[in-house]
Amino acid sequence: MPLSEAAYELELYATNVKAWIHPVIKNLSKHHKRGEFDLDKAIHAIERYCLTPAAKQYKIEHGGMCTRWDAIFPKAVRLEAAENIARHWVAEFRLGNYWD
C-alpha cells in the first residue's frame, strides 16, 4: 500500500539526515543480530527517536508561525512512515545488511 503524501514527505526528510536515522537503525541492527528484534517496538522507536525530531525540525524550516508540528505530521502519519521504514530495514537485515 502506498504511503500518504505527508508520510512520504516525512520519511524522505528524516532518512536524509544521518543524525536522526543512523542511531536508530544501528540500535535496531544490534537487536536483530541478537535475535531480540520486535517489529512493533522498532516502529515505535523509529517514530519517537527519528520521526518526531524530524517533524519538529521540518516545522521550523517549512511550517508557518501558527502551525504546530503535530498538526503537520499527526501521530498516525508518523506511525505510517515508521512502519514503512521498519519494514524496509527488516528486509535489509534478513539479507545480512547490518549497520555497525
Side-chain angles (χ1 to χ4, degrees):
M1 184 168 92
L3 292 175
S4 66
E5 287 183 33
Y8 182 70
E9 181 73 21
L10 181 59
E11 180 182 345
L12 283 178
Y13 188 77
T15 56
N16 284 315
V17 178
K18 189 176 179 180
W20 293 322
I21 195 71
H22 183 75
V24 176
I25 300 303
K26 189 174 180 181
N27 189 23
L28 296 179
S29 177
K30 176 182 69 174
H31 286 285
H32 194 273
K33 281 182 184 178
R34 290 183 187 165
E36 303 169 351
F37 188 82
D38 180 17
L39 184 62
D40 290 332
K41 288 181 183 179
I43 291 169
H44 288 288
I46 291 168
E47 187 270 329
R48 182 173 184 182
Y49 299 112
C50 178
L51 297 180
T52 298
K56 290 177 181 180
Q57 186 63 35
Y58 186 94
K59 187 269 181 199
I60 291 170
E61 293 178 9
H62 304 289
M65 294 291 290
C66 298
T67 308
R68 294 176 38 161
W69 68 271
D70 57 347
I72 299 171
F73 300 112
K75 179 92 171 180
V77 169
R78 295 192 312 268
L79 287 174
E80 180 184 0
E83 182 177 355
N84 194 49
I85 293 169
R87 291 192 185 281
H88 167 77
W89 281 103
V90 165
E92 291 293 326
F93 295 158
R94 287 183 181 150
L95 294 172
N97 299 329
Y98 295 105
W99 274 15
D100 294 320

XYZ file of all heavy atoms in Angstrom:
824
model
N 0.847 -1.179 0.000
C 0.000 0.000 0.000
C 0.895 1.246 0.000
O 1.807 1.352 0.821
C -0.884 -0.026 1.242
C -1.871 1.110 1.295
S -3.107 0.885 2.570
C -2.334 1.720 3.917
N 0.644 2.178 -0.891
C 1.479 3.377 -0.947
C 1.257 4.279 0.264
O 0.181 4.287 0.868
C 1.035 4.058 -2.238
C -0.305 3.509 -2.545
C -0.365 2.147 -1.936
N 2.280 5.046 0.585
C 2.210 5.977 1.711
C 1.397 7.204 1.350
O 1.323 7.593 0.184
C 3.614 6.435 2.102
C 4.553 5.423 2.722
C 5.926 6.040 2.924
C 4.022 4.928 4.029
N 0.853 7.846 2.368
C 0.212 9.139 2.153
C 1.290 10.157 1.824
O 2.485 9.933 2.074
C -0.556 9.562 3.406
O 0.342 9.802 4.473
N 0.894 11.281 1.265
C 1.864 12.303 0.882
C 2.646 12.814 2.087
O 3.859 13.003 2.010
C 1.162 13.472 0.194
C 0.691 13.169 -1.202
C 0.067 14.376 -1.863
O 0.502 15.510 -1.581
O -0.851 14.165 -2.660
N 1.952 13.038 3.206
C 2.617 13.554 4.404
C 3.616 12.534 4.957
O 4.733 12.899 5.346
C 1.585 13.917 5.463
N 3.238 11.269 4.982
C 4.136 10.230 5.485
C 5.359 10.093 4.579
O 6.482 9.928 5.060
C 3.407 8.899 5.599
N 5.141 10.164 3.280
C 6.249 10.067 2.330
C 7.205 11.246 2.495
O 8.424 11.067 2.505
C 5.699 10.022 0.904
C 6.752 9.864 -0.154
C 7.447 8.668 -0.297
C 7.072 10.919 -1.001
C 8.423 8.520 -1.265
C 8.043 10.781 -1.967
C 8.716 9.584 -2.102
O 9.691 9.443 -3.050
N 6.667 12.440 2.647
C 7.488 13.640 2.838
C 8.310 13.529 4.121
O 9.507 13.825 4.141
C 6.590 14.876 2.890
C 7.323 16.177 3.071
C 8.073 16.626 1.840
O 7.748 16.170 0.732
O 9.002 17.434 1.991
N 7.685 13.092 5.198
C 8.394 12.948 6.473
C 9.459 11.873 6.386
O 10.569 12.055 6.893
C 7.406 12.634 7.599
C 8.008 12.476 8.987
C 8.734 13.752 9.416
C 6.926 12.113 9.987
N 9.150 10.760 5.742
C 10.141 9.694 5.598
C 11.357 10.180 4.817
O 12.502 9.940 5.221
C 9.518 8.488 4.900
C 10.495 7.342 4.719
C 9.905 6.152 3.990
O 8.674 6.069 3.861
O 10.694 5.301 3.557
N 11.134 10.862 3.716
C 12.258 11.394 2.930
C 13.084 12.375 3.744
O 14.315 12.340 3.722
C 11.745 12.083 1.662
C 11.319 11.207 0.521
C 10.795 12.066 -0.619
C 12.466 10.347 0.038
N 12.402 13.257 4.446
C 13.089 14.278 5.229
C 13.922 13.648 6.347
O 15.079 14.007 6.555
C 12.063 15.254 5.809
C 12.678 16.450 6.482
C 13.201 17.499 5.745
C 12.732 16.531 7.860
C 13.773 18.594 6.360
C 13.293 17.619 8.493
C 13.807 18.652 7.738
O 14.379 19.739 8.361
N 13.347 12.686 7.049
C 14.024 12.081 8.198
C 15.164 11.157 7.781
O 16.214 11.134 8.435
C 13.017 11.312 9.049
N 14.983 10.394 6.729
C 16.008 9.423 6.344
C 17.194 10.066 5.635
O 18.220 9.417 5.470
C 15.428 8.307 5.460
O 14.804 8.885 4.320
C 14.440 7.467 6.232
N 17.074 11.315 5.252
C 18.187 12.002 4.609
C 19.065 12.762 5.586
O 20.011 13.431 5.172
C 17.686 12.945 3.507
C 17.290 12.176 2.278
O 18.011 11.293 1.846
N 16.140 12.493 1.739
N 18.753 12.680 6.877
C 19.585 13.308 7.904
C 20.170 12.190 8.758
O 19.454 11.520 9.500
C 18.771 14.299 8.760
C 19.639 14.888 9.852
C 18.198 15.393 7.885
N 21.458 11.996 8.629
C 22.139 10.884 9.303
C 22.000 10.958 10.823
O 21.938 9.937 11.497
C 23.610 10.873 8.893
C 24.354 9.663 9.351
C 25.774 9.667 8.831
C 26.524 8.449 9.312
N 27.894 8.414 8.839
N 21.944 12.152 11.374
C 21.863 12.310 12.826
C 20.584 11.717 13.406
O 20.561 11.325 14.569
C 21.960 13.782 13.195
N 19.523 11.645 12.615
C 18.272 11.082 13.120
C 18.176 9.598 12.835
O 17.795 8.827 13.701
C 17.063 11.784 12.492
C 16.898 13.202 12.895
C 17.120 13.729 14.132
C 16.504 14.278 12.070
N 16.875 15.072 14.123
C 16.500 15.437 12.864
C 16.151 14.385 10.731
C 16.137 16.682 12.365
C 15.796 15.625 10.234
C 15.794 16.763 11.058
N 18.496 9.182 11.640
C 18.253 7.793 11.236
C 19.355 6.845 11.692
O 19.085 5.708 12.068
C 18.006 7.691 9.705
C 17.408 6.340 9.331
C 19.260 7.970 8.919
C 16.017 6.115 9.737
N 20.603 7.286 11.660
C 21.730 6.392 11.933
C 21.679 5.738 13.315
O 21.802 4.510 13.406
C 23.052 7.136 11.730
C 24.247 6.283 11.908
N 24.655 5.365 10.964
C 25.125 6.167 12.936
C 25.736 4.744 11.393
N 26.035 5.212 12.591
N 21.502 6.488 14.410
C 21.493 5.824 15.724
C 20.347 4.832 15.891
O 20.509 3.781 16.515
C 21.348 6.972 16.726
C 21.601 8.206 15.978
C 21.396 7.936 14.538
N 19.202 5.143 15.325
C 18.038 4.270 15.474
C 18.252 2.965 14.708
O 18.033 1.874 15.251
C 16.755 4.986 14.994
C 15.570 4.053 15.051
C 16.493 6.217 15.828
N 18.685 3.054 13.465
C 18.888 1.847 12.659
C 20.051 1.028 13.208
O 20.009 -0.203 13.203
C 19.100 2.204 11.178
C 17.878 2.958 10.646
C 19.374 0.968 10.347
C 16.568 2.222 10.787
N 21.065 1.694 13.718
C 22.186 0.972 14.330
C 21.712 0.170 15.541
O 22.093 -0.988 15.723
C 23.273 1.966 14.730
C 24.545 1.317 15.174
C 25.620 2.349 15.414
C 26.892 1.681 15.871
N 27.957 2.643 16.127
N 20.851 0.748 16.344
C 20.307 0.069 17.512
C 19.416 -1.101 17.085
O 19.503 -2.202 17.652
C 19.521 1.057 18.368
C 19.106 0.477 19.691
O 19.705 -0.459 20.190
N 18.061 1.036 20.268
N 18.561 -0.890 16.085
C 17.701 -1.974 15.604
C 18.534 -3.100 15.005
O 18.208 -4.279 15.155
C 16.707 -1.441 14.567
C 15.703 -0.411 15.069
C 14.815 0.045 13.924
C 14.890 -0.948 16.215
N 19.605 -2.735 14.343
C 20.508 -3.722 13.759
C 21.110 -4.612 14.852
O 21.170 -5.830 14.714
C 21.614 -2.997 12.986
O 22.538 -3.882 12.463
N 21.511 -3.984 15.924
C 22.083 -4.720 17.056
C 21.069 -5.705 17.637
O 21.401 -6.866 17.899
C 22.534 -3.719 18.129
C 23.069 -4.349 19.392
C 23.440 -3.306 20.418
C 22.191 -2.656 20.936
N 22.421 -1.715 22.042
N 19.831 -5.263 17.804
C 18.798 -6.136 18.351
C 18.465 -7.282 17.400
O 18.196 -8.395 17.842
C 17.541 -5.344 18.695
C 17.699 -4.507 19.920
N 17.694 -5.039 21.186
C 17.891 -3.183 20.087
C 17.863 -4.084 22.079
N 17.988 -2.929 21.429
N 18.482 -7.008 16.102
C 18.172 -8.065 15.135
C 19.276 -9.125 15.131
O 18.986 -10.324 15.044
C 17.994 -7.479 13.738
C 17.353 -8.423 12.776
N 18.086 -9.319 12.044
C 16.053 -8.628 12.452
C 17.266 -10.026 11.294
N 16.028 -9.629 11.518
N 20.517 -8.697 15.235
C 21.635 -9.652 15.294
C 21.511 -10.574 16.499
O 21.836 -11.753 16.422
C 22.971 -8.915 15.378
C 23.471 -8.387 14.087
C 24.826 -7.737 14.337
C 25.392 -7.090 13.127
N 26.672 -6.422 13.406
N 21.070 -10.023 17.627
C 20.945 -10.804 18.863
C 19.712 -11.702 18.865
O 19.563 -12.536 19.747
C 20.837 -9.873 20.060
C 22.085 -9.140 20.402
C 21.834 -8.320 21.638
N 22.953 -7.463 21.944
C 22.910 -6.451 22.790
N 21.780 -6.178 23.413
N 23.971 -5.722 23.013
N 18.803 -11.472 17.930
C 17.563 -12.240 17.911
C 16.499 -11.681 18.825
O 15.531 -12.361 19.148
N 16.654 -10.440 19.257
C 15.719 -9.796 20.176
C 14.826 -8.781 19.463
O 14.211 -7.931 20.106
C 16.490 -9.058 21.277
C 17.433 -9.923 22.058
C 18.364 -9.104 22.941
O 18.393 -7.868 22.818
O 19.065 -9.725 23.747
N 14.757 -8.836 18.157
C 14.058 -7.827 17.373
C 12.550 -7.997 17.465
O 12.013 -9.093 17.345
C 14.492 -7.914 15.901
C 13.969 -6.805 15.048
C 14.604 -5.588 15.019
C 12.838 -6.995 14.279
C 14.125 -4.560 14.229
C 12.350 -5.979 13.488
C 12.999 -4.755 13.462
N 11.850 -6.894 17.677
C 10.389 -6.869 17.715
C 9.934 -5.727 16.806
O 10.307 -4.572 17.021
C 9.900 -6.652 19.139
C 8.384 -6.626 19.256
O 7.698 -7.093 18.325
O 7.884 -6.130 20.282
N 9.149 -6.040 15.785
C 8.737 -5.051 14.794
C 7.942 -3.914 15.427
O 8.149 -2.745 15.091
C 7.937 -5.704 13.665
C 7.524 -4.781 12.520
C 8.744 -4.203 11.821
C 6.644 -5.516 11.542
N 7.044 -4.215 16.350
C 6.243 -3.164 16.985
C 7.116 -2.193 17.772
O 6.925 -0.978 17.705
C 5.182 -3.765 17.901
C 4.084 -4.480 17.138
O 3.831 -4.091 15.973
O 3.488 -5.420 17.695
N 8.082 -2.731 18.498
C 8.999 -1.864 19.242
C 9.866 -1.055 18.290
O 10.179 0.106 18.561
C 9.883 -2.694 20.182
C 9.140 -3.237 21.369
C 10.070 -4.018 22.275
C 9.323 -4.625 23.445
N 10.219 -5.408 24.316
N 10.241 -1.647 17.182
C 11.047 -0.946 16.184
C 10.272 0.228 15.590
O 10.816 1.323 15.426
C 11.480 -1.903 15.084
N 9.007 -0.009 15.285
C 8.164 1.061 14.724
C 8.064 2.219 15.709
O 8.216 3.383 15.333
C 6.771 0.511 14.344
C 6.901 -0.428 13.143
C 5.790 1.638 14.066
C 5.654 -1.232 12.843
N 7.831 1.918 16.961
C 7.700 2.976 17.960
C 9.030 3.677 18.228
O 9.046 4.884 18.474
C 7.084 2.429 19.240
C 5.634 2.111 19.074
N 4.654 3.073 18.953
C 4.986 0.934 18.937
C 3.485 2.505 18.783
N 3.654 1.196 18.763
N 10.138 2.962 18.167
C 11.458 3.596 18.336
C 11.749 4.538 17.178
O 12.247 5.653 17.386
C 12.541 2.532 18.446
N 11.454 4.111 15.971
C 11.678 4.971 14.804
C 10.799 6.213 14.895
O 11.250 7.328 14.631
C 11.409 4.194 13.494
C 12.474 3.121 13.294
C 11.369 5.136 12.295
C 12.157 2.122 12.194
N 9.552 6.026 15.293
C 8.642 7.165 15.412
C 9.117 8.148 16.472
O 9.131 9.355 16.253
C 7.230 6.659 15.750
C 6.162 7.737 15.733
C 5.953 8.423 17.059
O 6.154 7.768 18.105
O 5.614 9.614 17.065
N 9.559 7.626 17.596
C 9.933 8.502 18.716
C 11.289 9.169 18.530
O 11.433 10.358 18.781
C 9.932 7.694 20.005
C 10.255 8.536 21.201
C 10.102 7.783 22.473
N 10.338 8.673 23.602
C 10.314 8.298 24.844
N 10.025 7.054 25.153
N 10.546 9.142 25.810
N 12.289 8.400 18.113
C 13.648 8.921 18.107
C 14.116 9.440 16.752
O 15.171 10.071 16.673
C 14.617 7.851 18.610
C 14.317 7.440 20.018
C 13.834 6.179 20.318
C 14.486 8.335 21.066
C 13.537 5.805 21.614
C 14.193 7.976 22.372
C 13.724 6.711 22.639
O 13.426 6.359 23.930
N 13.375 9.171 15.700
C 13.766 9.630 14.375
C 12.727 10.578 13.790
O 13.047 11.702 13.408
C 13.982 8.429 13.452
S 14.422 8.875 11.778
N 11.488 10.151 13.736
C 10.475 10.926 13.030
C 9.940 12.113 13.823
O 9.628 13.143 13.231
C 9.330 10.014 12.591
C 9.732 8.928 11.591
C 8.536 8.074 11.226
C 10.367 9.515 10.364
N 9.848 12.004 15.123
C 9.378 13.140 15.916
C 10.355 14.309 15.851
O 9.933 15.435 15.572
C 9.080 12.721 17.365
O 8.024 11.748 17.350
C 8.658 13.902 18.216
N 11.665 14.093 16.062
C 12.593 15.227 15.896
C 12.604 15.771 14.471
O 12.713 16.979 14.259
C 13.961 14.651 16.264
C 13.704 13.407 16.991
C 12.369 12.911 16.561
N 12.470 14.887 13.496
C 12.436 15.331 12.101
C 11.200 16.183 11.833
O 11.282 17.198 11.131
C 12.475 14.131 11.165
N 10.063 15.784 12.386
C 8.833 16.554 12.200
C 8.951 17.935 12.837
O 8.500 18.936 12.266
C 7.641 15.796 12.789
N 9.570 18.003 14.007
C 9.750 19.300 14.671
C 10.680 20.201 13.863
O 10.413 21.400 13.712
C 10.312 19.085 16.083
C 9.306 18.464 17.015
C 9.907 18.199 18.380
C 8.891 17.554 19.312
N 9.453 17.291 20.644
N 11.761 19.645 13.339
C 12.682 20.433 12.521
C 12.039 20.848 11.205
O 12.249 21.957 10.733
C 13.970 19.649 12.263
C 15.036 20.447 11.550
C 15.522 21.646 12.351
O 15.606 21.590 13.587
N 15.837 22.717 11.673
N 11.249 19.964 10.618
C 10.532 20.280 9.376
C 9.609 21.472 9.594
O 9.522 22.369 8.753
C 9.728 19.070 8.915
C 9.065 19.240 7.573
C 9.688 18.798 6.415
C 7.818 19.848 7.458
C 9.091 18.941 5.178
C 7.219 20.002 6.227
C 7.860 19.550 5.093
O 7.264 19.702 3.876
N 8.928 21.490 10.723
C 8.030 22.606 11.039
C 8.810 23.907 11.144
O 8.391 24.940 10.641
C 7.283 22.318 12.340
C 6.201 23.335 12.675
C 6.755 24.444 13.509
C 5.696 25.455 13.863
N 6.273 26.724 14.274
N 9.986 23.866 11.768
C 10.802 25.068 11.905
C 11.232 25.577 10.532
O 11.197 26.783 10.267
C 12.026 24.791 12.801
C 11.570 24.570 14.249
C 13.030 25.929 12.721
C 12.665 24.045 15.168
N 11.634 24.669 9.661
C 12.144 25.067 8.357
C 11.050 25.398 7.346
O 11.243 26.263 6.499
C 13.039 23.965 7.788
C 14.309 23.769 8.566
C 15.167 22.641 8.031
O 14.864 22.112 6.942
O 16.137 22.290 8.713
N 9.927 24.687 7.404
C 8.926 24.813 6.344
C 7.536 25.211 6.826
O 6.672 25.488 5.994
C 8.805 23.486 5.571
C 10.094 23.011 4.999
N 10.711 23.623 3.930
C 10.913 21.995 5.365
C 11.832 22.995 3.655
N 11.976 22.000 4.514
N 7.289 25.205 8.107
C 5.955 25.478 8.625
C 5.720 26.948 8.894
O 6.633 27.770 8.882
N 4.481 27.272 9.159
C 4.120 28.639 9.483
C 4.252 28.903 10.975
O 4.477 28.001 11.782
N 4.085 30.150 11.340
C 4.204 30.544 12.746
C 3.084 29.966 13.610
O 3.281 29.697 14.783
C 4.195 32.079 12.867
C 5.402 32.740 12.248
S 6.904 32.398 13.159
C 6.634 33.318 14.633
N 1.916 29.788 13.027
C 0.760 29.336 13.795
C 0.510 27.840 13.667
O -0.401 27.314 14.293
C -0.483 30.096 13.345
S -0.358 31.869 13.631
N 1.307 27.155 12.874
C 1.106 25.734 12.647
C 1.928 24.929 13.632
O 3.113 25.186 13.805
C 1.517 25.356 11.212
O 0.868 26.215 10.302
C 1.161 23.922 10.907
N 1.301 23.960 14.271
C 2.018 23.086 15.201
C 2.627 21.926 14.421
O 2.060 21.467 13.428
C 1.066 22.556 16.264
C 0.544 23.649 17.178
C -0.454 23.116 18.149
N -0.065 21.781 18.608
C -0.524 21.214 19.697
N -1.388 21.834 20.436
N -0.144 20.010 20.038
N 3.756 21.425 14.899
C 4.440 20.327 14.211
C 3.577 19.068 14.187
O 3.583 18.316 13.228
C 5.807 20.040 14.833
C 5.742 19.461 16.218
C 5.708 20.143 17.392
C 5.677 18.079 16.555
N 5.611 19.269 18.442
C 5.599 17.985 17.964
C 5.666 16.908 15.816
C 5.528 16.784 18.634
C 5.592 15.705 16.493
C 5.527 15.653 17.881
N 2.824 18.838 15.272
C 1.993 17.633 15.320
C 0.688 17.797 14.537
O -0.047 16.827 14.356
C 1.721 17.196 16.754
C 1.070 18.260 17.607
O 1.036 19.428 17.183
O 0.607 17.930 18.702
N 0.411 18.995 14.055
C -0.716 19.183 13.138
C -0.278 18.885 11.702
O -1.068 18.400 10.894
C -1.263 20.596 13.239
N 0.988 19.171 11.408
C 1.525 18.875 10.082
C 1.687 17.370 9.918
O 1.326 16.796 8.887
C 2.876 19.575 9.868
C 2.726 21.087 9.960
C 3.479 19.193 8.517
C 4.048 21.840 9.982
N 2.273 16.726 10.939
C 2.506 15.283 10.924
C 1.877 14.649 12.162
O 2.548 14.448 13.176
C 4.006 14.978 10.895
C 4.716 15.529 9.700
C 5.632 16.556 9.827
C 4.469 15.014 8.439
C 6.289 17.060 8.725
C 5.123 15.508 7.328
C 6.040 16.537 7.472
N 0.576 14.329 12.114
C -0.067 13.695 13.271
C 0.536 12.315 13.572
O 1.266 11.755 12.762
C -1.529 13.559 12.843
C -1.672 14.218 11.540
C -0.328 14.551 11.011
N 0.212 11.799 14.717
C 0.758 10.513 15.172
C 0.513 9.401 14.147
O 1.396 8.593 13.888
C 0.124 10.139 16.519
C 0.566 8.835 17.097
C 1.734 9.016 17.997
C 2.018 7.719 18.737
N 3.139 7.845 19.623
N -0.653 9.362 13.549
C -0.964 8.315 12.558
C -0.030 8.402 11.355
O 0.416 7.378 10.832
C -2.411 8.426 12.114
N 0.294 9.604 10.932
C 1.202 9.793 9.790
C 2.615 9.367 10.173
O 3.302 8.689 9.398
C 1.177 11.264 9.317
C 2.287 11.547 8.329
C -0.175 11.608 8.727
N 3.044 9.729 11.379
C 4.384 9.340 11.837
C 4.496 7.827 11.961
O 5.513 7.244 11.594
C 4.713 10.025 13.165
C 4.819 11.534 13.038
C 5.415 12.206 14.263
N 4.861 11.812 15.526
C 3.854 12.417 16.138
N 3.245 13.435 15.585
N 3.444 12.000 17.318
N 3.455 7.185 12.463
C 3.475 5.722 12.584
C 3.451 5.042 11.215
O 4.084 4.005 11.023
C 2.313 5.240 13.445
C 2.435 5.513 14.941
C 1.161 5.125 15.669
C 3.638 4.801 15.530
N 2.744 5.632 10.274
C 2.716 5.090 8.914
C 4.116 5.136 8.289
O 4.581 4.148 7.712
C 1.733 5.905 8.064
C 1.599 5.461 6.641
C 0.690 6.364 5.825
O 0.154 7.358 6.351
O 0.530 6.068 4.625
N 4.782 6.265 8.441
C 6.142 6.387 7.920
C 7.100 5.463 8.672
O 7.972 4.833 8.067
C 6.616 7.841 8.016
N 6.937 5.357 9.984
C 7.803 4.494 10.788
C 7.647 3.035 10.400
O 8.638 2.290 10.330
C 7.490 4.678 12.276
N 6.425 2.611 10.130
C 6.209 1.227 9.727
C 6.882 0.941 8.386
O 7.490 -0.114 8.205
C 4.717 0.925 9.631
C 4.433 -0.508 9.266
C 2.954 -0.846 9.238
O 2.123 0.013 9.595
O 2.643 -1.981 8.861
N 6.807 1.874 7.466
C 7.443 1.697 6.166
C 8.964 1.604 6.305
O 9.605 0.746 5.698
C 7.056 2.849 5.230
C 7.397 2.547 3.802
O 7.084 1.484 3.283
N 8.045 3.492 3.153
N 9.540 2.465 7.127
C 10.985 2.435 7.362
C 11.383 1.123 8.027
O 12.366 0.479 7.636
C 11.427 3.638 8.225
C 11.233 4.945 7.450
C 12.876 3.492 8.660
C 11.385 6.190 8.302
N 10.625 0.697 9.036
C 10.946 -0.533 9.763
C 10.879 -1.747 8.847
O 11.774 -2.600 8.872
C 9.997 -0.709 10.946
N 9.857 -1.828 8.030
C 9.737 -2.965 7.118
C 10.870 -2.983 6.085
O 11.366 -4.060 5.731
C 8.373 -2.965 6.438
C 7.256 -3.265 7.409
C 5.945 -3.546 6.725
N 4.860 -3.711 7.684
C 4.635 -4.805 8.390
N 5.424 -5.839 8.249
N 3.632 -4.873 9.236
N 11.283 -1.819 5.646
C 12.422 -1.750 4.727
C 13.685 -2.294 5.390
O 14.413 -3.100 4.802
C 12.649 -0.300 4.278
C 13.954 -0.086 3.599
N 14.187 -0.468 2.297
C 15.124 0.432 4.039
C 15.426 -0.173 1.970
N 16.013 0.376 3.016
N 13.927 -1.890 6.618
C 15.150 -2.324 7.292
C 15.095 -3.784 7.726
O 16.131 -4.451 7.773
C 15.489 -1.389 8.446
C 16.131 -0.156 7.900
C 15.571 1.069 7.727
C 17.456 -0.060 7.374
N 16.462 1.912 7.135
C 17.631 1.250 6.914
C 18.512 -0.951 7.250
C 18.825 1.688 6.341
C 19.693 -0.519 6.688
C 19.843 0.788 6.237
N 13.933 -4.299 8.022
C 13.809 -5.726 8.329
C 14.223 -6.543 7.113
O 14.944 -7.546 7.230
C 12.371 -6.084 8.780
C 12.132 -7.576 8.749
C 12.116 -5.540 10.170
N 13.800 -6.103 5.937
C 14.201 -6.794 4.708
C 15.712 -6.732 4.521
O 16.338 -7.725 4.121
C 13.485 -6.190 3.506
N 16.315 -5.594 4.826
C 17.776 -5.467 4.726
C 18.476 -6.366 5.745
O 19.482 -7.003 5.427
C 18.206 -4.012 4.939
C 17.816 -3.074 3.826
C 18.553 -3.355 2.535
O 19.735 -3.767 2.584
O 17.951 -3.160 1.472
N 17.959 -6.421 6.960
C 18.567 -7.258 7.998
C 18.508 -8.735 7.612
O 19.441 -9.490 7.861
C 17.878 -7.052 9.347
C 18.022 -5.671 9.927
C 17.114 -5.212 10.859
C 19.049 -4.821 9.546
C 17.221 -3.953 11.414
C 19.170 -3.545 10.086
C 18.256 -3.117 11.028
N 17.400 -9.138 7.020
C 17.267 -10.537 6.602
C 18.265 -10.902 5.509
O 18.632 -12.063 5.383
C 15.844 -10.813 6.134
C 14.869 -10.856 7.273
C 13.477 -11.200 6.819
N 12.575 -11.200 7.967
C 11.308 -10.896 7.904
N 10.758 -10.575 6.744
N 10.565 -10.920 8.986
N 18.689 -9.914 4.749
C 19.721 -10.138 3.725
C 21.135 -10.064 4.309
O 22.092 -10.313 3.596
C 19.578 -9.096 2.611
C 18.309 -9.184 1.770
C 18.214 -7.991 0.843
C 18.280 -10.486 0.990
N 21.229 -9.727 5.581
C 22.534 -9.647 6.224
C 23.165 -8.258 6.159
O 24.339 -8.103 6.452
N 22.392 -7.265 5.772
C 22.899 -5.899 5.670
C 22.642 -5.168 6.980
O 21.571 -4.598 7.184
C 22.229 -5.161 4.503
C 22.505 -5.831 3.193
O 23.557 -6.439 3.003
N 21.565 -5.756 2.279
N 23.622 -5.185 7.860
C 23.505 -4.531 9.162
C 24.347 -3.265 9.192
O 25.357 -3.166 8.509
C 23.992 -5.463 10.280
C 23.140 -6.691 10.444
C 23.588 -7.931 9.999
C 21.911 -6.619 11.060
C 22.819 -9.067 10.162
C 21.129 -7.760 11.225
C 21.590 -8.969 10.779
O 20.817 -10.080 10.938
N 23.929 -2.313 10.042
C 24.743 -1.131 10.290
C 25.582 -1.408 11.529
O 25.051 -1.741 12.579
C 23.871 0.088 10.533
C 23.471 0.780 9.272
C 23.551 0.296 8.013
C 22.903 2.075 9.167
N 23.073 1.220 7.135
C 22.672 2.321 7.817
C 22.582 3.048 10.093
C 22.130 3.501 7.352
C 22.035 4.220 9.632
C 21.824 4.449 8.285
N 26.854 -1.263 11.397
C 27.741 -1.482 12.546
C 28.263 -0.181 13.079
O 28.348 0.798 12.495
C 28.908 -2.372 12.157
C 28.419 -3.786 11.810
O 27.529 -4.276 12.511
O 28.940 -4.358 10.857
